[in-house]
Amino acid sequence: MADGSVDILKDARAKAYATALADLNPAQPGLFQSNTMWPIFERLRKEDPVHFTAESEYGPYWSITKYNDIMAVDTNHQVFSSEGGITIATQDGDEGPLPMFIAMDPPKHDVQRKTVSPAVSPMNLAILEPLIRERAAKILDSLPIGEEFDWVDKVSMELTAMTLATLFDMPQEDRRKLTYWSDVVTAVPGHGLIDTIEEKMQIFIEYHAYFTELWNQRVNAEPGGDLISMLAHGPETRDMSPREYFGNIVLLTVGGNDTTRNTITGSVLALNQNPDQYKKLRENPDLIPSMVSETIRWQTPLAHMRRIATQDHEIGGKTIKKGDKVVMWYVSGNRDDEVIHDPDSYIIDRERPRQHISFGFGIHRCVGNRLAELQLKIIWEEILKRFPDIQVVEEPKRVFSTFVKGYESMKVIIPTRL
């Protein structure tokens, strides 16, 4: 893979350190798309780990960039509220942001989360595992040998969409609608997928109608084990408004899609960029669980979460005022060398590979984190049975977003089968 990224990153570092500290603004989607946000976070962690940006396209906000400070914010929902949205780019329509349990505080958050959590319980994952493995095997066996193809489309999207469709108990032939809708939710108009906010709203109408039909089917049927049935029959959720139901569907779609999909792609990229680690993995497949955790840290598939301060609060020597927007940059916390040894390196046999912040902490810790890990573990167990090598042939195309840290496409070639 040709790599001109070294010069681009060098220029980005020079610019980051030449900018006045007060003017640093990491919330720029273009930086994430070009993978050049790292020097800004590096400088903020060193010089101003609790940093106020007075002007940005998202308004004024605080950046929390170090691991322990992020932990302090994430585990203090009394002071740092999720109400009203969890991204820096709050999408305010005529009725305000969509309600969803990740953007709620207790007690409502707790009962709604508890309603859907059995879908990703250890017992249910044990039931899902053979199905995920069977699908992973079919996907991998269908891949072309000796020809370039898009790994994101053929593998990452396929496996995650299949799993999510099963969790919703919707037809597998509709699974790519989930991929599309998930992308539309987080898409910035004018950057490829959609051109205008009006187009986005029109797609949301179709998305809403599809899941309203599924609700109507499930609410009039016996309770089942799928997510929609759980919401339709749960004592704390069966009377929720259609808008609140749809908000939770949006949350479950994006949460069930982006994290796993982008980490599957990231794992292939990281191993290509670190051939010594790829060799280590091939020689010792028992390292797969550790590699999965390291990739989730290294990739950090959701770059940030947002909170609103409910009262004045001091952190890192700075006073955050009531009502201020606070952004926890997980992508930066996962590169904090005061907590994680040699954090910029990809090391699949780290001593503590699960020490990362990608899933968040506290009451909002990712409800499906074990399912994400399971899918990654299975796909790599099946890859190593089949392919001695997967080669990335060009720089991947990354997503234009400060929230989803992911990939639109990544061309690879598999030279041969085992």
Side-chain angles (χ1 to χ4, degrees), residues 333-359:
N334 276 336
R335 302 295 176 109
D336 184 352
D337 62 6
E338 288 185 10
V339 176
I340 298 167
H341 172 70
D342 194 8
D344 292 324
S345 296
Y346 180 75
I347 304 166
I348 67 167
D349 54 355
R350 280 186 183 276
E351 194 172 326
R352 291 195 290 166
R354 293 180 67 84
Q355 185 183 29
H356 63 74
I357 209 160
S358 298
F359 292 132

Side-chain angles (χ1 to χ4, degrees), residues 150-384:
D150 180 7
W151 181 268
V152 175
D153 178 55
K154 296 285 189 191
V155 183
S156 302
M157 286 181 176
E158 269 296 272
L159 185 63
T160 50
M162 285 177 171
T163 303
L164 191 53
T166 297
L167 291 175
F168 283 136
D169 192 21
M170 58 184 274
Q172 281 294 324
E173 56 265 30
D174 289 346
R175 65 186 179 275
R176 283 307 188 99
K177 290 180 179 178
L178 293 172
T179 307
Y180 178 66
W181 288 327
S182 178
D183 288 346
V184 168
V185 168
T186 57
V188 179
H191 289 274
L193 190 63
I194 51 169
D195 293 324
T196 64
I197 194 69
E198 290 76 21
E199 184 185 358
K200 187 171 190 166
M201 291 303 105
Q202 185 57 46
I203 295 164
F204 266 44
I205 291 169
E206 299 161 17
Y207 182 14
H208 185 277
Y210 185 96
F211 276 94
T212 299
E213 176 62 27
L214 290 183
W215 171 281
N216 291 337
Q217 289 172 14
R218 306 294 154 77
V219 80
N220 293 308
E222 287 297 310
D226 63 278
L227 290 167
I228 298 166
S229 187
M230 288 173 177
L231 290 169
H233 292 278
E236 303 290 346
T237 54
R238 63 190 177 202
D239 296 323
M240 63 170 51
S241 70
R243 197 163 178 273
E244 192 167 305
Y245 162 65
F246 181 55
N248 280 314
I249 290 297
V250 169
L251 165 62
L252 294 166
T253 307
V254 175
N257 204 332
D258 285 331
T259 303
T260 311
R261 163 179 141 193
N262 290 314
T263 310
I264 289 173
T265 303
S267 64
V268 176
L269 179 63
L271 289 165
N272 266 259
Q273 292 178 346
N274 299 273
D276 59 322
Q277 301 299 304
Y278 203 170
K279 181 173 183 286
K280 199 186 290 182
L281 184 68
R282 282 191 294 260
E283 290 172 354
N284 185 4
D286 289 344
L287 287 172
I288 288 174
S290 173
M291 180 275 288
V292 164
S293 292
E294 173 67 349
T295 305
I296 292 167
R297 180 196 72 85
W298 181 89
Q299 179 61 37
T300 317
L302 293 178
H304 78 264
M305 286 283 170
R306 189 207 85 182
R307 301 287 185 260
I308 298 292
T310 62
Q311 61 192 63
D312 290 3
H313 187 82
E314 186 175 313
I315 186 166
K318 304 287 183 73
T319 300
I320 294 171
K321 296 287 189 183
K322 180 181 179 179
D324 283 358
K325 185 185 291 189
V326 180
V327 178
M328 300 177 288
W329 290 106
Y330 294 156
V331 66
S332 176
N334 276 336
R335 302 295 176 109
D336 184 352
D337 62 6
E338 288 185 10
V339 176
I340 298 167
H341 172 70
D342 194 8
D344 292 324
S345 296
Y346 180 75
I347 304 166
I348 67 167
D349 54 355
R350 280 186 183 276
E351 194 172 326
R352 291 195 290 166
R354 293 180 67 84
Q355 185 183 29
H356 63 74
I357 209 160
S358 298
F359 292 132
F361 278 91
I363 63 168
H364 294 293
R365 183 168 171 80
C366 175
V367 69
N369 66 86
R370 295 295 185 182
L371 177 58
E373 291 173 337
L374 178 64
Q375 290 182 86
L376 281 149
K377 180 179 86 77
I378 288 171
I379 196 75
W380 271 101
E381 286 170 352
E382 297 303 317
I383 286 170
L384 293 182

Side-chain angles (χ1 to χ4, degrees), residues 389-401:
D389 196 19
I390 304 169
Q391 298 172 3
V392 179
V393 297
E394 62 185 35
E395 271 292 300
K397 185 176 181 186
R398 292 178 170 86
V399 176
F400 184 86
S401 173

